[in-house]
Amino acid sequence: MKIHTLGPAVTDSYRAAEQYRADHENLEVVGHPSFEVLYQSIPELRGELLLIPAAVKTPTGAGWGDLHYQYGDRLELIDSLITELSPLAILERRGRSG
């Protein structure tokens, strides 16, 4: 069975999927280029697992709750986990470019 999430392997989501896989035999982690692509692939992923962070925010502004309501009739929550995030930095852009 496969567990699908955001790739590449350096993302927090992919590392969380690897952590989950370590406790569940016979899982293969598959990375996707974006969560939008992953959600659009739901019809082809029937019977497989998706790992979506609760703090996800797509470029269109959709959060986990929005995506849950949009796709909830096609998904079933089966488990949850808490993992540590990579260090984050907060930056402020000053001045104009160009």
Side-chain angles (χ1 to χ4, degrees), residues 29-82:
V29 179
V30 178
H32 293 262
S34 70
F35 286 112
E36 291 88 351
V37 169
L38 180 53
Y39 273 96
Q40 292 167 0
S41 301
I42 286 174
E44 296 87 42
L45 303 179
R46 188 170 185 86
E48 297 186 0
L49 304 175
L50 280 65
L51 186 141
I52 309 293
V56 70
K57 191 70 132 182
T58 68
T60 61
W64 183 88
D66 302 311
L67 296 167
H68 169 74
Y69 286 117
Q70 183 175 352
Y71 296 97
D73 62 336
R74 293 176 249 173
L75 300 172
E76 176 185 355
L77 179 62
I78 60 162
D79 206 351
S80 65
L81 67 142
I82 297 173

Side-chain angles (χ1 to χ4, degrees), residues 6-37:
L6 182 67
V10 296
T11 65
D12 288 326
S13 297
Y14 197 96
R15 284 197 314 273
E18 287 284 346
Q19 178 182 329
Y20 188 82
R21 184 186 62 80
D23 295 332
H24 299 83
E25 293 183 18
N26 302 319
L27 282 180
E28 174 189 350
V29 179
V30 178
H32 293 262
S34 70
F35 286 112
E36 291 88 351
V37 169

